[in-house]
Amino acid sequence: MSKIIKTLSAVFTLLALVSFSYADENYYDQAIKEFDKKEYDEARFLLERNIVFNPKDAKSYLYLAKIFKEKENKKEEEKNLNTTLLLDPSNEDATLRLMDIAVENSNYSEVKELSEKFVKICKSLCKENERILESLKDLEPKNDS
């Protein structure tokens, strides 16, 4: 009888772990679907829930940043982009978005610094660096001291 109880306990534990793992993926996947439908509040809720189960999921923070960009909340957008880069330093999308913010803020030195980093990590968005550097021509190096 004791072996049966131990076996059942192990089976229930395994099932709980599988369903817990599936819930993580389901939250993220569902959040992306909601994001694509422009249901940003629902997507945000699901991404934050996903982060509770998987706090090191850089993709969730990146999508939160995209949501905050849509909601025009630069502070939260930038915070989530920085968290994305903390977890995934080679995330070219987050680096590119931070470069755009630095251009908007006319922060010449930060754009240059991010651009140098971006060149080293870019894989699919490399041409975007040219666009950013072109926009630098209109900026004076105000913060370059």
Side-chain angles (χ1 to χ4, degrees):
M1 190 64 136
S2 177
K3 283 186 176 182
I4 294 173
I5 292 173
K6 285 182 182 178
T7 303
L8 285 174
S9 177
V11 168
F12 286 129
T13 302
L14 181 61
L15 286 174
L17 288 172
V18 168
S19 65
F20 186 72
S21 175
Y22 176 74
D24 292 354
E25 287 299 315
N26 197 25
Y27 290 136
Y28 177 79
D29 293 340
Q30 188 60 38
I32 300 311
K33 289 176 187 174
E34 296 299 321
F35 179 86
D36 290 342
K37 294 189 294 188
K38 299 185 186 322
E39 295 291 337
Y40 300 123
D41 290 333
E42 183 64 24
R44 177 182 171 190
F45 172 78
L46 291 165
L47 288 167
E48 288 172 345
R49 195 161 195 185
N50 185 55
I51 288 169
V52 167
F53 293 109
N54 191 4
K56 294 183 180 179
D57 184 25
K59 298 178 299 183
S60 290
Y61 290 101
L62 179 62
Y63 269 91
L64 280 175
K66 292 178 181 185
I67 289 168
F68 287 118
K69 178 178 175 58
E70 292 296 324
K71 298 242 179 210
E72 298 180 5
N73 184 336
K74 277 200 197 292
K75 181 180 175 185
E76 289 297 316
E77 176 188 5
E78 198 167 351
K79 180 178 90 173
N80 281 284
L81 290 172
N82 284 318
T83 303
T84 301
L85 288 177
L86 181 66
L87 296 170
D88 179 9
S90 63
N91 189 304
E92 61 184 318
D93 195 7
T95 304
L96 183 61
R97 288 176 179 276
L98 281 174
M99 287 170 60
D100 282 331
I101 290 171
V103 167
E104 288 172 20
N105 294 336
S106 299
N107 191 336
Y108 182 83
S109 60
E110 185 176 356
V111 175
K112 290 293 266 185
E113 181 182 316
L114 287 167
S115 176
E116 290 169 9
K117 177 182 174 185
F118 185 76
V119 169
K120 294 175 187 172
I121 63 169
C122 77
K123 292 178 182 136
S124 62
L125 300 173
C126 297
K127 292 191 180 220
E128 289 295 312
N129 192 45
E130 295 169 18
R131 175 184 61 81
I132 299 287
L133 292 176
E134 186 65 32
S135 68
L136 278 182
K137 292 179 181 178
D138 297 331
L139 294 177
E140 293 180 31
K142 296 174 187 169
N143 300 325
D144 203 16
S145 50

